[in-house]
């Protein structure tokens, strides 16, 4: 098996357990040293603030329990030289607390070290996220 194949397989497995809503299994696959950040303006903190350690666990747990991504399709590109995976994700997302569903697409950039994810950066429509979750009201 190549490192490229291993990274792709691990990312597919992470998304599969995440889509089932299994917080602990998702965190076990990612590892404890990983960070997570949604790219966005600092005014959208805390979602646009990089989280690590306990905050990382909380951020991932909240994402899994609040956003249903089970109807998302994923295309994966692996850059073996840079030890990165780019995942283009597209489909229907449901905000669980409100029941609101919408079609969207987003990209995850996952950096690896020693075969484990160490940094996840998500490029998503932050306006749609904060409006749907009612973090802000836009007229």
């Amino acid at each position: 098996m190549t490192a490229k194949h291993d990274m792709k397989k691990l990312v597919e497995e992470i998304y599969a357990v995440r889509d089932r809503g299994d917080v602990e299994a998702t965190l076990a696959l990612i590892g404890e040293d990983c960070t997570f950040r949604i790219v966005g303006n600092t005014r959208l903190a805390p979602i646009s603030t990089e989280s690590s350690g306990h905050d990382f666990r909380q951020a991932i747990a909240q994402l899994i329990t609040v956003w249903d991504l089970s109807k998302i399709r994923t295309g994966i590109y692996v850059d073996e030289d840079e030890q990165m995976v780019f995942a283009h994700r597209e489909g229907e997302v449901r905000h669980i607390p409100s029941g609101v569903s919408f079609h969207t697409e987003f990209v995850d950039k996952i950096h690896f070290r020693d075969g484990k994810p160490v940094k996840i950066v998500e490029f998503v429509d932050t306006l749609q996220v904060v409006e749907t979750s009612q973090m802000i009201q836009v007229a």
Side-chain angles (χ1 to χ4, degrees):
M1 298 275 168
T2 66
K4 182 176 183 173
H5 179 268
D6 292 343
M7 286 187 289
K8 182 177 190 237
K9 185 172 175 60
L10 179 56
V11 169
E12 290 170 340
E13 191 174 351
I14 290 168
Y15 288 147
V17 296
R18 187 263 181 260
D19 292 348
R20 288 195 307 266
D22 191 334
V23 173
E24 290 306 316
T26 302
L27 289 167
L29 289 169
I30 294 172
E32 296 180 18
D33 296 329
C34 195
T35 63
F36 175 79
R37 177 174 70 93
I38 293 176
V39 175
N41 187 290
T42 55
R43 294 184 321 176
L44 297 179
I47 71 165
S48 62
T49 304
E50 186 172 79
S51 60
S52 61
H54 179 69
D55 292 339
F56 171 80
R57 289 184 62 82
Q58 283 186 316
I60 298 302
Q62 183 175 12
L63 287 170
I64 292 172
T65 58
V66 172
W67 297 99
D68 176 5
L69 304 182
S70 62
K71 294 182 179 176
I72 291 288
R73 295 173 304 283
T74 303
I76 295 176
Y77 169 78
V78 179
D79 184 334
E80 191 171 13
D81 294 335
E82 295 295 324
Q83 294 291 290
M84 279 190 289
V85 171
F86 294 90
H88 175 255
R89 308 196 73 204
E90 180 179 12
E92 183 180 317
V93 172
R94 183 173 61 90
H95 181 251
I96 296 167
S98 68
V100 172
S101 293
F102 54 88
H103 184 273
T104 193
E105 58 184 299
F106 55 99
V107 173
D108 291 334
K109 180 177 153 187
I110 305 167
H111 300 257
F112 278 74
R113 184 173 47 242
D114 300 325
K116 284 288 206 177
V118 292
K119 181 177 182 179
I120 302 169
V121 180
E122 189 165 86
F123 299 84
V124 63
D125 182 344
T126 53
L127 179 59
Q128 191 168 41
V129 168
V130 296
E131 281 183 323
T132 302
S133 61
Q134 298 181 344
M135 288 177 66
I136 64 169
Q137 299 293 318
V138 179

